[in-house]
Amino acid sequence: MTTRMAALLLLRRLAAGGAVTRLQQPYAGLATAAARQDALDATGEESGRPDKGNKNRWMELPPFAPVDAAAAARAIFRGQGGDEIEGNSNSTAIRWVRRCCPHLPASLVQKLFRLRKVKKNAVTAETSSTDASAEQFRLRRVSAKDHLVPGDTLFLPVNIQESPVAEKARKFDNRNEIDFLRSLEIYKDKAIIVVNKPPGMPVQGGVGIKNSIDVLAPMFEENSSDAPRLVHRLDRDCSGVLVLGRTQLSASILHAIFREKTADALADGTQQVLQRKYVALVMGTPRHPKGLLSAPLAKVLLQDGKSERLTVRAGPNTTSVQDALTEYRVIESCPRGFTWLELFPLTGRKHQLRVHCAEVLGTPIVGDYKYGRQAHQDWTPLPVPQTVDEELLRKQRLPFGLVLGGGSVAEEQPQLHLHCKQMMLPDISAAVQGLQSEDAERDFSGLEKLSFVAPLPLHMRLSWEVLKSVDK
């Protein structure tokens, strides 16, 4: 209701003050309130008194209209209406500026607040005999942590467009690198980008990591200063379907959907809104052809005192334990003790599939030297059949230090054989469009499910061909 009142107040201002340039799409950029500019220029920023010497020009952000991403994700996940999505929000001024201006570096936004360059409207209504409702505009300084209420409008200096906002941003002008990264795209719409992440490429930066998906994400956009955002993770040596949010709102909703998936699984829920299927080659054969693995995970510190790993841990004295659930199904048992599995993570824990395969099933994943080192001590490469396609044997250097080819079961040191083959998600773009519409009744029960499939990487395809020919 508060949001509707704010909208009516804004419309009344427009009628009284003249035409105001409005954003064509929410959060797409800045709008200049031209009709009110003279009034704002003549308004003392702190006192409210006219100041003819004030030369500041201001750019107006959209009125604050909170959307609870977690509530939206729950409504989408359960296929319900979204009546509870709008309401009171704890969003701060700096969060709203970053949402409306994603192209501005975080350091610049913080600097604007430190220099007291961000203002908030302070509108007072005055009645007179000639005008039943006249409004006086005053600008007040707002701090980064100030909480906003629906209808609050923030203003930034108009000359911010002249600032070197990209002075610290990395330049992406290598055409080969850009073309390679975009060749990984499986799907793209207004809300998300889905890529087939190659093995060996880190998803997130860190010590000693120069090129990662989060750093290179701006390459996915042609004419946009808003870089896609990570919403989930894949291990560095894992490959397959990776989803990025193209806007802060879509990324926030996706984050919440992944969290909702884990919570639903632990509560014995049956929701199938988010589904992921992995393919893995393991050493050994599970006792049962399919099953549900329920084993909590905990971090342990290794002997060097610096490194850590996850392990199955349960008991009353265990701390920092996270419950983890994985469904599995045997695809095919192969000679020499190898097995192809389908893995369906119901929760989203770090290294969940690798630990469950190694410690619960007793079948470590091929190429997993962290959780299956002992099983690889007596590793013997398998012979390559003469009938194998030469394309599978060819090695090629790729951008960002990646190598195409090698790492199959025919190698002395195979790569990790774990691949996210398929993911199913609700149509986030349609959901975001519904959230941004003026329709108060939002129903997500009819959202279409989108399915994304990533082909196996070269080393796993070669291993499949090698294992098919063994002992034949």
Side-chain angles (χ1 to χ4, degrees), residues 46-103:
E46 300 298 335
S47 65
R49 294 189 299 268
D51 179 5
K52 296 183 179 179
N54 182 10
K55 299 298 182 182
N56 286 330
R57 306 284 292 181
W58 301 96
M59 302 194 75
E60 179 182 352
L61 302 187
F64 175 62
V67 173
D68 188 337
R74 286 193 295 271
I76 295 170
F77 194 83
R78 299 168 184 171
Q80 298 175 345
D83 294 339
E84 77 280 14
I85 292 172
E86 288 187 4
N88 294 329
S89 174
N90 291 325
S91 183
T92 57
I94 192 170
R95 287 182 179 177
W96 187 245
V97 172
R98 294 195 64 183
R99 175 177 291 185
C100 297
C101 311
H103 59 289

Side-chain angles (χ1 to χ4, degrees), residues 11-45:
L11 290 175
R12 191 176 64 186
R13 286 193 224 160
L14 295 178
V20 177
T21 304
R22 300 177 64 189
L23 292 181
Q24 295 302 311
Q25 293 188 10
Y27 324 140
L30 302 176
T32 304
R36 283 185 275 169
Q37 192 62 64
D38 292 338
L40 293 174
D41 288 345
T43 302
E45 295 179 6

